[in-house]
Amino acid sequence: MTFELSVDEFDRRDWQRTDPDAGTVRIAMVGLGWWTVEEAMPAVADSTFCETTVVVSSRAEKAEAVAATADTVTHALTYDDLIAGEATDAYDALYVATPNSLHLPYVEAAAEYGKDVLCEKPMEASVERAAEIAGIDAETDSTVMVAYRMQTDPAVRRARELVADGHIGEPVQVHGHMSQPLLEMIPDPDQWRLNPEYTGYGATVMDLGIYPLNTARFVLDADPVSVTARLESTHEAFADVPDEHASFAVTFDDGTEASCSASQNAQRTSYLRVLGTEGEVVLEPAFFSDQTRAMTVRRGDNRVEVEVPPVEQMTEEFDYFGDRVLAGDSPHPDAAHGLVDLETIAAIHEAGDTGDRVRVGDAAE
Amino acid sequence: MTFELSVDEFDRRDWQRTDPDAGTVRIAMVGLGWWTVEEAMPAVADSTFCETTVVVSSRAEKAEAVAATADTVTHALTYDDLIAGEATDAYDALYVATPNSLHLPYVEAAAEYGKDVLCEKPMEASVERAAEIAGIDAETDSTVMVAYRMQTDPAVRRARELVADGHIGEPVQVHGHMSQPLLEMIPDPDQWRLNPEYTGYGATVMDLGIYPLNTARFVLDADPVSVTARLESTHEAFADVPDEHASFAVTFDDGTEASCSASQNAQRTSYLRVLGTEGEVVLEPAFFSDQTRAMTVRRGDNRVEVEVPPVEQMTEEFDYFGDRVLAGDSPHPDAAHGLVDLETIAAIHEAGDTGDRVRVGDAAE
């Protein structure tokens, strides 16, 4: 079996089906927080298959201020305007980046007006509401893709190929982690990520733990069966959520076990390791979009390391979404895939409460 | 707070109390498997405070053959000779490196003849038998040290100092792992490590999982409270033990959670990471004695990496043991410390059976 990693492979778009001249999908940006303004809109401006034509916020003034920063934007709407059906001729799809518990109403509006959706992860604040989105995806003409940017990240896709091609033998164990000092990044104890009304089950598994969880699913091409977990909050800013720090173990349907952790109050760190019977692949840093990334592959005593500059993960993701919409194909990950993560996160929170193992799908609502 | 790592620090013997001319502790090597012959005896030959004067095996011929390879050895005994009290004037202490379930009889013999003991880990094959060794350590003049070689490894000691000095803030989460392809190393499905009669609870947590478990205890200076686990055996050579692959999470009494894994049928890999509120320390490779080691410390965006050549871990361990015996001080880790690991491993195996969280000390015998 050959064992080589080509640096050239790390910006390959193995997913592209559409001609670069095929046009663009016109995006309405829903929710104008820092992520949308500083990450998503610049990424779309750099993309081939998408452009931002509409911006939507709670207040008209905010929407208009953001609209003024981008030449392509023709309409600035409030959430109420969007739901009432204003400017439906000006966009083809919604990018939903509101707080978790405010995804469903805009997915419902998209379905009503025959628009597609790129919906931020986690898909909603609860299994029940995520299931409603999955129903819309399955039963209407609107297609819902969940914005797992790691699934269109070239390094992660190369890791998945290595595992699928048997370069590490049979996968055995995964370690994954993501942490950041949230209160240094956003020094406000009243932010929505710390408010269960907006975030859902908690602050950390929903926002960060979902990265090692979902990336392990993608790299292994396997789904979670059961979980154990320990959640802890001690800092007063985390008084309303159980998971300032979270550790959880996920048993997958291929027999692999993933030992994961995440924290909103720790050193900024991320990694993903997949150990197999004959080798291992390590991504570190793994999940932060602004960092130079490294992939290390070992087989016995042989070791190859490739370091790659940051890619515009959000540009990759929007272009993939645009490519599939223009091609008339369903993008992946779909809402049914996103629902499994919500069921897993609900199980992790129940396991954290009870201390015991919880089967995915069995957590109480 | 200063943030620097000096390479010179990595061979410092911060524990030494005895003058290099203080003499030696005469060791009887009990159990002459490959570890004793290829690792322990050469390490003692290189040591300052120990020398091998007696070798003990099941068969006289084997003992004599090994004795002939070392000038310092004056007596070759069988196990029965040792227990009967032969040559007690020729040694001061036993190094017990027999299969796990054969540690207790030689610790009992040491107590009977007033000898000290350096006992390999895990201390015995069950909590019950380990408790008997702890009783001997506590109640007789014989002192028992458990041979956790990582606790006298300079890199691990520097990691412990960094954590104790607050360089990573408050410890939050640990990831630890150790794996090797046992059947490639020893191509014999009938070896004792795969036989519960000799190994005790299983093949992997007892032999490899104990490294991340005990090293996390040492670096955090904390003790385990409860565990969750998943154990799996699929390869036919592991039919009699539950843990070809093992994943376990350990909650410590300082609130830290350690996500650990180990495998006797996977790529040879080891690492230990301690994440804190303000930084992290990573040892990788962590546990194999023949590898060039690296310690990486991060605080925010600052990163220091020190690479150190392999140290003779067994020489460090024997010299520490000899130092303490010659000084008349009790060496650490003692048998009470080793007993906690057996209680934790028993809990891990019960958690693997039941799927649920088990408190350390609560596992059924």
Side-chain angles (χ1 to χ4, degrees):
Chain A
M1 183 177 286
T2 60
F3 177 63
E4 52 188 35
L5 284 176
S6 166
V7 176
D8 299 336
E9 292 284 279
F10 280 77
D11 54 8
R12 182 158 58 89
R13 289 184 156 186
D14 54 349
W15 45 260
Q16 191 165 327
R17 295 177 184 170
T18 307
D19 189 289
D21 301 325
T24 56
V25 175
R26 296 170 303 157
I27 304 287
M29 294 278 164
V30 185
L32 302 179
W34 71 269
W35 179 263
T36 301
V37 173
E38 293 173 31
E39 298 281 342
M41 288 181 65
V44 167
D46 288 344
S47 76
T48 307
F49 297 125
C50 291
E51 65 179 325
T52 302
T53 54
V54 176
V55 293
V56 191
S57 186
S58 51
R59 292 180 300 113
E61 301 73 33
K62 182 166 183 188
E64 282 156 14
V66 172
T69 67
D71 291 344
T72 56
V73 175
T74 58
H75 293 75
L77 307 181
T78 65
Y79 294 141
D80 291 342
D81 295 338
L82 181 82
I83 286 174
E86 279 197 32
T88 51
D89 288 344
Y91 64 92
D92 306 307
L94 303 183
Y95 171 63
V96 177
T98 48
N100 303 338
S101 66
L102 298 172
H103 291 179
L104 178 58
Y106 309 114
V107 177
E108 288 174 331
E112 184 173 349
Y113 301 117
K115 307 299 183 183
D116 295 321
V117 183
L118 178 61
C119 180
E120 264 304 335
K121 68 193 175 304
M123 205 158 71
E124 247 286 351
S126 70
V127 170
E128 199 168 36
R129 291 172 69 86
E132 293 194 48
I133 294 179
I136 290 169
D137 188 27
E139 293 155 21
T140 73
D141 289 339
S142 294
T143 191
V144 179
M145 173 176 154
V146 189
Y148 293 106
R149 59 185 160 80
M150 304 318 297
Q151 295 200 19
T152 44
D153 175 85
V156 169
R157 293 179 78 85
R158 296 301 86 75
R160 176 179 158 105
E161 287 171 357
L162 277 166
V163 171
D165 290 349
H167 282 277
I168 64 165
E170 290 296 315
V172 171
Q173 284 156 345
V174 175
H175 281 246
H177 174 84
M178 188 177 194
S179 55
Q180 63 187 12
L182 180 65
L183 294 169
E184 287 176 28
M185 298 161 60
I186 306 173
D188 175 7
D190 293 328
Q191 59 187 292
W192 73 261
R193 282 188 175 77
L194 300 175
N195 183 341
E197 187 183 332
Y198 293 111
T199 190
Y201 300 106
T204 297
V205 184
M206 291 288 271
D207 192 44
L208 302 180
I210 197 170
Y211 280 81
L213 166 62
N214 188 267
T215 311
R217 283 180 69 189
F218 183 69
V219 171
L220 295 172
D221 195 16
D223 280 324
V225 173
S226 67
V227 301
T228 55
R230 176 164 175 268
L231 311 177
E232 188 178 52
S233 290
T234 55
H235 189 292
E236 60 184 10
F238 293 85
D240 296 335
V241 289
D243 59 339
E244 174 187 355
H245 310 300
S247 298
F248 53 97
V250 183
T251 303
F252 283 93
D253 57 8
D254 67 349
T256 308
E257 181 84 359
S259 300
C260 299
S261 55
S263 174
Q264 291 279 22
N265 187 18
Q267 163 80 4
R268 189 177 195 238
T269 291
S270 73
Y271 49 88
L272 185 78
R273 314 181 60 120
V274 184
L275 175 83
T277 50
E278 294 169 35
E280 66 174 337
V281 56
V282 182
L283 288 170
E284 181 175 3
F287 305 128
F288 292 106
S289 57
D290 59 340
Q291 295 180 315
T292 295
R293 319 268 301 286
M295 177 191 283
T296 305
V297 184
R298 291 195 188 86
R299 278 173 64 88
D301 293 332
N302 296 330
R303 178 176 179 280
V304 176
E305 181 174 335
V306 175
E307 203 170 273
V308 288
V311 298
E312 287 194 276
Q313 289 179 333
M314 294 298 288
T315 299
E316 295 299 297
E317 179 173 64
F318 275 104
D319 266 340
Y320 169 82
F321 176 71
D323 178 273
R324 287 300 185 275
V325 169
L326 291 169
D329 292 341
S330 293
H332 189 85
D334 62 11
H337 179 94
L339 176 59
V340 171
D341 277 353
L342 263 296
E343 291 173 337
T344 308
I345 292 169
I348 288 167
H349 277 270
E350 185 163 311
D353 278 350
T354 64
D356 290 335
R357 182 171 296 273
V358 177
R359 285 187 67 84
V360 173
D362 283 0
E365 271 302 310
Chain B
M1 184 175 287
T2 60
F3 178 62
E4 51 189 35
L5 283 176
S6 165
V7 175
D8 299 336
E9 292 285 280
F10 280 77
D11 53 9
R12 182 159 59 90
R13 288 184 157 187
D14 54 350
W15 45 261
Q16 190 165 327
R17 296 177 184 169
T18 308
D19 189 288
D21 301 326
T24 57
V25 174
R26 296 169 303 156
I27 304 286
M29 294 277 165
V30 186
L32 301 179
W34 71 270
W35 179 263
T36 301
V37 173
E38 293 173 30
E39 298 282 342
M41 287 181 66
V44 168
D46 288 345
S47 76
T48 306
F49 297 126
C50 291
E51 65 178 326
T52 302
T53 52
V54 177
V55 294
V56 191
S57 185
S58 52
R59 292 180 300 113
E61 301 74 33
K62 183 167 182 188
E64 281 155 16
V66 172
T69 67
D71 291 344
T72 56
V73 174
T74 58
H75 294 75
L77 306 181
T78 65
Y79 294 140
D80 290 342
D81 295 338
L82 181 83
I83 286 173
E86 281 198 32
T88 51
D89 289 344
Y91 64 92
D92 306 307
L94 303 184
Y95 172 62
V96 177
T98 48
N100 303 339
S101 66
L102 297 173
H103 290 179
L104 178 58
Y106 308 114
V107 177
E108 289 174 330
E112 183 172 349
Y113 301 117
K115 307 299 182 183
D116 295 322
V117 183
L118 179 60
C119 180
E120 264 304 337
K121 66 193 177 305
M123 207 160 69
E124 246 287 351
S126 69
V127 170
E128 200 169 35
R129 292 173 67 85
E132 293 195 46
I133 293 179
I136 289 169
D137 188 27
E139 293 156 21
T140 73
D141 289 338
S142 294
T143 190
V144 179
M145 172 175 155
V146 190
Y148 292 106
R149 59 185 161 81
M150 304 318 297
Q151 294 201 17
T152 43
D153 176 87
V156 170
R157 294 180 77 86
R158 296 299 86 74
R160 177 180 159 105
E161 287 171 357
L162 277 166
V163 171
D165 291 348
H167 281 279
I168 64 165
E170 290 296 315
V172 171
Q173 284 155 345
V174 175
H175 281 248
H177 173 84
M178 188 178 193
S179 56
Q180 63 186 13
L182 180 65
L183 294 169
E184 287 176 29
M185 297 162 59
I186 306 174
D188 175 6
D190 294 327
Q191 59 186 291
W192 73 260
R193 282 188 175 78
L194 300 175
N195 183 342
E197 187 183 332
Y198 293 112
T199 192
Y201 300 106
T204 297
V205 185
M206 290 287 271
D207 193 43
L208 303 180
I210 196 170
Y211 280 81
L213 166 62
N214 188 266
T215 311
R217 282 181 70 190
F218 183 69
V219 171
L220 296 172
D221 195 17
D223 280 323
V225 174
S226 67
V227 301
T228 55
R230 177 164 174 267
L231 311 177
E232 188 178 53
S233 290
T234 55
H235 190 292
E236 59 183 12
F238 292 84
D240 296 334
V241 289
D243 58 340
E244 175 187 354
H245 309 300
S247 299
F248 53 97
V250 182
T251 304
F252 283 92
D253 56 10
D254 67 348
T256 309
E257 181 84 358
S259 300
C260 299
S261 56
S263 174
Q264 290 279 21
N265 188 19
Q267 163 80 6
R268 188 177 195 239
T269 290
S270 73
Y271 49 88
L272 186 78
R273 314 181 60 119
V274 183
L275 175 82
T277 49
E278 294 169 36
E280 66 174 337
V281 56
V282 182
L283 288 170
E284 181 175 2
F287 305 128
F288 292 106
S289 57
D290 60 339
Q291 295 181 314
T292 295
R293 320 269 301 286
M295 177 192 283
T296 305
V297 184
R298 291 196 189 84
R299 278 173 65 88
D301 293 333
N302 296 332
R303 178 177 179 278
V304 176
E305 181 174 336
V306 176
E307 204 170 272
V308 287
V311 297
E312 287 194 275
Q313 289 178 332
M314 294 298 287
T315 299
E316 294 299 297
E317 180 173 63
F318 274 104
D319 267 339
Y320 169 81
F321 175 71
D323 178 273
R324 287 300 184 276
V325 169
L326 291 170
D329 292 341
S330 292
H332 189 86
D334 63 11
H337 179 94
L339 176 59
V340 171
D341 278 353
L342 262 296
E343 290 174 337
T344 308
I345 293 170
I348 288 167
H349 277 270
E350 185 164 310
D353 278 350
T354 64
D356 289 335
R357 182 171 296 272
V358 177
R359 287 187 66 83
V360 173
D362 283 1
E365 272 300 308

